[in-house]
Amino acid sequence: MNNQNEIRTRVDNYIETQSRLDLLRFITCGSVDDGKSTLIGRMLFEAQLIFEDQITTLRNDSKKSGTQGEDIDYALLVDGLEAEREQGITIDVAYRFFNTDKRKFIVADTPGHEQYTRNMATGASTADVAIILVDAENGILPQTTRHSFIASLLGIQHVVLAINKMDLVSYDKDTFDRIRADYAKLENFFSFRSITAIPLSALIGDNVVERSGNMTWYQGPTILGFLESVEISEETDQEPFRFPVQWVNRPNSNFRGFSGTIASGTVSSGDKILALPSRQTATVKDIILFDTKLPSARTHKAITITLEEEIDLSRGDIIVSQTQPSPIANQFEVNLVWMSKEPGYVGRTYLIQIANQSARATITNIKYKYNVNTFEKLPSKELNLNDIAVTTIALDASIPFEAYRDCRKLGAFVFIDRYTNHTVGAGMINFALRRSTNLSNQDSVVTRSSREQLNTHKGGVFWLTGLSGSGKSTIANAAEKILHDEGIRTYLLDGDNIRQHLSSDLGFTAADRIENIRRIAEIARLMLDAGLVVITAFISPFRAERDAARGLFEKDDFFEIHIDTPIEIAEKRDPKGLYNKARNGLLPNFTGIDSPYEPPIDPELRLNTADKTVDACIQSLVTMIRKEVVLEHA
């Protein structure tokens, strides 16, 4: 019985000791085959942090793979996907949790191949330390620089330059010094607080957990020794209180709490808080963790807060300190890492997710993107896979935020494609643009409604889209003439006319087409406010931009009309000979030939000119417009 009590006491003491240990999150990154997975596997093995049955399985798997002969392939501890084991590379981010007597750790083994850079950025987004591995035989590679730059952008403070495979260069000190000096030339481009160079052999175990007898010239820490001793900042506890609401906790009519994880600062019962963006004020009543009431809570704690006053709060709102509120804005300068094979364009709209907040966001300008090899700032009209750029973005709603350097949780965001729901980009807010708060709508005494009353009809936007030669301009011109003769005030925005004047600076690349449609949509919005019936005749080939245009208007103000003409017929009609020029390579980026056309999925009106006569199509359009704009009392 005494023995059992002693064991129980020892277990309780161990659990209590472990609960007091702080947590360090770190990543391993670098170029492909630099030994990232091997390093983690060796560290876990040598620190005796894996079980006997895992070691047995590891030995068996190592024999099957044959990568290390009869020896253990430590990378197999981390590379879990079949494709990873077959190719000998890391594809996905592999997370491992372990602890020693001094600290708890979460490690993210991130992929080295360039096409998986987006996965590396994901792993780095929550890390305190980056271990950047360099193959001693190859030295600094472009992916080493890219990963270092991303780690710096993501606010990682401490870096280990792990110069691996020293056994392959006979543990040569000059090789170590040369690589360390090469990396030092890049340090001015990064914002790391410390860089610690460590020579090692992950495969053999030199300087991983135990100091190497093969490199007596090195007197610094081992990898594990560094991780156990590096000081990580807990400054977020001293920052103003920020609490994104993840869930309104309402188990019954007698309880209403707001659940989430504290992004920064501390909160105590009795604190005065402000709800954003509504700006309602209240007082903290209780702070609840499971079934326990806490006097206070700090950064990273997942809690439920109840309030003394009843205020309207929902998921996506932010609870902040009443005396130190977050700023609110809708336009920002950001660092953006592009993660999609589909390019990102100025003018294109995406969904943005910041903490628990969602909105629609448009890239308004690409200031420059970086050449990660030279750090040169390059002009660009589009973002391609793995590009790192400084851009400006505009949201369709003002949101509370923090600069990423001040609060990661409220300064980091992802871009999501509105059609596929794929994450296409990840970014960090640098600051709000001044016009976010300095500009506001100036209400006019004369309203759209009063203008429509004067016109004796409503306004509306009727957006004709279709291939070149489909008949858009012909149908639009004839329809406008009929409506004009009936006393309806109209304006026709035609593609060729706009191209000669307002958009004379734009070409026909995807980026230029997107900007052209953005301009047209804004003009149409102004004309609608004037009470006019606006008819547009543009190819407008991309579904995303037509939907973005629709998003500027109320539901009953915008109508999409697809002039549905097969390309074979459009090409036969071609009065300008454009298709012939395009097929002969004289007109690059021509819609339907070497640039795509994305037809509407569910337009308000579809006019198939292959089945209908031109007159019938014109009449269908006129009938639709009359129905939508003629006032009942007129």
Side-chain angles (χ1 to χ4, degrees):
M1 188 67 179
N2 289 336
N3 189 39
Q4 289 180 345
N5 290 335
E6 182 180 346
I7 294 174
R8 185 179 295 111
T9 300
R10 289 170 60 188
V11 170
D12 289 343
N13 290 339
Y14 176 79
I15 294 174
E16 178 65 23
T17 300
Q18 290 294 308
S19 68
R20 294 198 187 99
L21 297 179
D22 65 342
L23 174 67
L24 175 77
R25 298 173 181 265
F26 70 96
I27 63 167
T28 58
C29 52
S31 191
V32 68
D33 202 33
D34 279 348
K36 298 177 292 298
S37 300
T38 301
L39 172 62
I40 297 173
R42 186 84 202 200
M43 188 188 307
L44 296 175
F45 181 84
E46 287 208 1
Q48 299 180 358
L49 298 172
I50 55 178
F51 299 111
E52 287 295 331
D53 60 333
Q54 290 178 296
I55 295 175
T56 301
T57 301
L58 181 60
R59 292 186 189 278
N60 293 334
D61 289 346
S62 298
K63 290 179 181 179
K64 291 178 184 178
S65 65
T67 55
Q68 300 299 331
E70 293 298 316
D71 295 329
I72 292 177
D73 183 353
Y74 296 101
L76 298 181
L77 268 174
V78 184
D79 288 342
L81 297 178
E82 183 177 353
E84 293 178 329
R85 296 191 173 201
E86 288 177 350
Q87 299 178 50
I89 63 172
T90 298
I91 296 174
D92 201 1
V93 181
Y95 293 94
R96 291 292 182 272
F97 175 86
F98 67 96
N99 61 282
T100 66
D101 291 338
K102 296 181 179 179
R103 186 171 258 167
K104 294 181 287 189
F105 301 95
I106 295 177
V107 55
D109 180 27
T110 65
H113 199 285
E114 184 175 344
Q115 75 182 90
Y116 302 117
T117 298
R118 57 190 181 275
N119 294 9
M120 177 268 163
T122 301
S125 62
T126 58
D128 305 301
V129 173
I131 299 178
I132 300 175
L133 280 92
V134 177
D135 187 323
E137 289 189 310
N138 298 328
I140 306 298
L141 297 175
Q143 196 69 336
T144 315
T145 308
R146 183 187 301 273
H147 283 186
S148 298
F149 191 50
I150 293 175
S152 177
L153 284 179
L154 288 167
I156 293 177
Q157 297 293 307
H158 304 285
V159 162
V160 175
L161 183 65
I163 302 174
N164 191 27
K165 304 185 182 181
M166 289 295 294
D167 54 308
L168 300 183
V169 295
S170 302
Y171 301 104
D172 179 47
K173 181 178 183 296
D174 290 340
T175 299
F176 171 76
D177 290 339
R178 174 179 53 80
I179 294 173
R180 182 169 58 176
D182 288 343
Y183 195 81
K185 296 174 184 176
L186 307 173
E187 290 180 12
N188 289 337
F189 297 104
F190 310 139
S191 56
F192 302 130
R193 184 178 299 176
S194 71
I195 299 174
T196 303
I198 301 177
L200 69 140
S201 170
L203 183 64
I204 295 174
D206 293 295
N207 286 339
V208 176
V209 173
E210 300 294 336
R211 188 173 302 282
S212 171
N214 295 311
M215 292 177 280
T216 54
W217 45 265
Y218 172 74
Q219 299 300 314
T222 63
I223 293 289
L224 185 60
F226 174 88
L227 294 174
E228 288 183 326
S229 60
V230 63
E231 293 186 9
I232 53 175
S233 173
E234 287 296 334
E235 294 175 356
T236 49
D237 286 350
Q238 309 305 318
E239 297 293 332
F241 176 59
R242 305 290 184 256
F243 182 75
V245 176
Q246 184 174 354
W247 175 47
V248 179
N249 187 350
R250 194 76 186 269
N252 55 61
S253 59
N254 298 320
F255 183 90
R256 186 166 181 260
F258 306 99
S259 301
T261 300
I262 299 175
S264 69
T266 60
V267 63
S268 301
S269 297
D271 283 356
K272 302 293 185 182
I273 61 93
L274 179 69
L276 296 176
S278 67
R279 297 190 177 276
Q280 302 169 89
T281 59
T283 305
V284 175
K285 180 180 180 182
D286 291 316
I287 301 166
I288 302 169
L289 178 63
F290 300 111
D291 57 355
T292 303
K293 291 184 180 180
L294 306 176
S296 63
R298 60 182 224 172
T299 307
H300 305 315
K301 202 75 169 179
I303 57 172
T304 295
I305 291 175
T306 62
L307 303 175
E308 296 282 2
E309 298 83 5
E310 285 286 339
I311 63 173
D312 183 19
L313 273 173
S314 59
R315 174 179 167 83
D317 291 339
I318 310 292
I319 297 176
V320 301
S321 165
Q322 199 173 119
T323 57
Q324 296 176 292
S326 291
I328 297 177
N330 64 357
Q331 298 182 60
F332 307 95
E333 183 194 272
V334 303
N335 295 318
L336 187 58
V337 181
W338 200 250
M339 299 178 169
S340 174
K341 293 179 181 178
E342 291 295 322
Y345 296 108
V346 171
R348 181 154 285 181
T349 302
Y350 303 90
L351 295 178
I352 189 172
Q353 185 81 31
I354 301 180
N356 301 323
Q357 306 172 96
S358 295
R360 285 160 57 112
T362 302
I363 300 173
T364 53
N365 183 33
I366 300 173
K367 288 190 169 183
Y368 51 83
K369 61 183 181 183
Y370 291 97
N371 179 327
V372 296
N373 299 319
T374 64
F375 299 102
E376 182 183 4
K377 297 174 180 178
L378 306 174
S380 180
K381 289 187 176 182
E382 63 182 44
L383 299 173
N384 296 306
L385 179 64
N386 295 328
D387 277 346
I388 303 170
V390 174
T391 74
T392 57
I393 62 173
L395 279 58
D396 66 349
S398 294
I399 62 168
F401 76 98
E402 297 288 341
Y404 183 81
R405 64 179 178 273
D406 297 328
C407 179
R408 284 189 180 186
K409 187 73 172 176
L410 293 185
F413 64 86
V414 293
F415 266 4
I416 301 168
D417 185 279
R418 294 185 297 136
Y419 300 99
T420 65
N421 283 327
H422 292 164
T423 299
V424 296
M428 296 73 69
I429 294 175
N430 293 331
F431 52 80
L433 301 183
R434 184 173 297 175
R435 57 180 175 268
S436 285
T437 52
N438 286 359
L439 299 179
S440 60
N441 285 329
Q442 178 63 50
D443 292 331
S444 175
V445 175
V446 180
T447 65
R448 172 187 162 187
S449 177
S450 60
R451 297 183 188 108
E452 289 177 338
Q453 290 295 326
L454 185 63
N455 293 341
T456 69
H457 62 78
K458 291 170 55 181
V461 175
F462 298 85
W463 192 283
L464 276 62
T465 174
L467 292 168
S468 178
S470 61
K472 298 182 301 300
S473 295
T474 300
I475 294 170
N477 267 295
E480 185 189 27
K481 177 65 168 60
I482 294 170
L483 295 167
H484 177 76
D485 290 344
E486 294 176 359
I488 294 176
R489 300 193 178 194
T490 63
Y491 198 91
L492 172 60
L493 295 171
D494 185 82
D496 281 0
N497 294 342
I498 295 296
R499 284 283 187 179
Q500 293 180 68
H501 302 286
L502 177 66
S503 294
S504 60
D505 60 322
L506 300 177
F508 290 90
T509 64
D512 286 339
R513 289 179 185 275
I514 290 167
E515 172 59 17
N516 184 50
I517 296 305
R518 187 196 68 79
R519 295 179 186 181
I520 301 310
E522 291 291 350
I523 292 173
R525 180 163 66 165
L526 292 174
M527 289 185 166
L528 176 65
D529 192 54
L532 299 180
V533 171
V534 186
I535 303 173
T536 75
F538 296 87
I539 295 173
S540 45
F542 302 131
R543 194 174 296 128
E545 276 55 65
R546 296 196 302 269
D547 284 356
R550 181 187 291 273
L552 295 176
F553 303 93
E554 298 296 328
K555 181 180 178 181
D556 296 332
D557 288 336
F558 184 93
F559 307 90
E560 188 175 37
I561 296 96
H562 182 201
I563 310 301
D564 188 0
T565 303
I567 191 170
E568 300 81 14
I569 295 177
E571 194 165 356
K572 285 180 182 178
R573 293 175 181 167
D574 187 13
K576 304 173 187 176
L578 300 179
Y579 282 95
N580 186 51
K581 290 180 181 179
R583 291 197 182 279
N584 290 322
L586 301 178
L587 281 180
N589 303 311
F590 190 80
T591 302
I593 303 300
D594 56 357
S595 183
Y597 177 77
E598 300 170 356
I601 295 174
D602 189 23
E604 279 76 13
L605 179 64
R606 179 177 280 108
L607 299 175
N608 189 329
T609 61
D611 297 336
K612 283 186 173 185
T613 65
V614 173
D615 287 343
C617 290
I618 293 168
Q619 193 56 50
S620 293
L621 178 58
V622 169
T623 300
M624 176 191 191
I625 295 175
R626 284 195 194 112
K627 177 184 175 183
E628 298 298 339
V629 305
V630 174
L631 293 171
E632 292 182 3
H633 66 272

